[in-house]
């Protein structure tokens, strides 16, 4: 079984709460024996895959498998060609240089509003980029955009491998 879950902002990518008071997967998914294949930070939204197949879970989550993950990032400012080129060739982070990514400017995607909304600042423009990576370091996309001078304001994972969020509303899931 494979479940595509559209994880809302603020939800932990685990079934149990260790006293944090934040909602967990158990608040949305009542299917026994499934586990997340990878993670999304509490302050990220979007596609989280869950499965009861250990081999599939390992294939999706293992960085050695290089499963592509596409994120839509609302960033502070407007990345120029040099910033996008840096993302495409690899960015130096504290834990080493990232693998090359696919990076492009995109129009604001037609997605759900975030609750709570992203802070709006009249003096600082924002824009959207699509970033596809093949590794999964802790908070990697946020650290990459910050490293090129454009901190992430909102992060939505749209695709993992062949699976997308198309047709999956926030807080809902589909079984494939």
């Amino acid at each position: 079984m494979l479940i595509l879950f559209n994880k809302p902002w603020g939800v932990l990518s685990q079934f149990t709460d260790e006293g944090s008071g934040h909602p967990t997967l158990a608040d949305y998914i009542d299917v026994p024996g499934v586990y997340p294949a990878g993670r999304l930070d509490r302050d990220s939204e979007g596609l989280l895959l869950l499965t009861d197949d250990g081999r599939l879970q390992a294939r999706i989550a293992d960085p050695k498998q290089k499963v592509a993950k596409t994120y839509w990032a609302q960033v502070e400012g407007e990345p120029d060609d040099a910033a996008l080129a840096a993302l495409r060739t690899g960015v130096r982070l504290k834990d080493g240089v990232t693998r090359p990514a696919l990076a492009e400017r995109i129009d604001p995607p037609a997605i759900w509003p975030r609750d709570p909304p992203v802070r709006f600042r009249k003096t600082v423009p924002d824009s959207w980029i699509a970033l596809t990576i093949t590794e999964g370091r802790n908070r990697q996309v946020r650290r990459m955009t910050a490293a090129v001078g454009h901190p992430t304001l909102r992060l939505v994972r749209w695709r993992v491998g062949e699976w997308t969020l198309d047709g999956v509303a926030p807080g809902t899931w589909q079984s494939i």
Side-chain angles (χ1 to χ4, degrees), residues 3-11 13 25 29 39-50 70-72 111-112 114 142 154-160 163-166 168-173:
I3 290 175
L4 310 180
F5 175 54
N6 189 342
K7 185 188 93 56
W9 184 90
V11 175
S13 293
L25 298 177
I29 301 168
R39 299 180 65 82
L40 266 180
D41 295 330
R42 181 176 60 87
D43 53 354
S44 298
E45 315 164 60
L47 183 59
L48 185 64
L49 301 175
L50 297 97
T70 299
Y71 296 84
W72 292 340
I111 56 174
W112 57 92
R114 195 182 87 176
R142 292 176 187 282
R154 183 178 183 191
L155 188 61
V156 178
R157 182 160 59 194
W158 181 255
R159 176 184 300 272
V160 175
W163 303 285
T164 73
L165 268 184
D166 195 28
V168 185
T172 68
W173 55 273

Side-chain angles (χ1 to χ4, degrees), residues 41-95:
D41 295 330
R42 181 176 60 87
D43 53 354
S44 298
E45 315 164 60
L47 183 59
L48 185 64
L49 301 175
L50 297 97
T51 183
D52 60 354
D53 181 336
R55 285 194 309 232
L56 178 59
Q57 181 185 23
R59 183 174 67 83
I60 293 167
D62 186 351
K64 292 179 183 137
Q65 298 295 323
K66 299 180 183 174
V67 174
K69 298 165 195 75
T70 299
Y71 296 84
W72 292 340
Q74 182 180 16
V75 296
E76 212 171 78
E78 297 176 8
D80 59 14
D81 291 341
L84 293 174
L87 293 169
R88 291 178 187 133
T89 57
V91 176
R92 177 165 299 285
L93 303 175
K94 288 182 181 178
D95 54 352

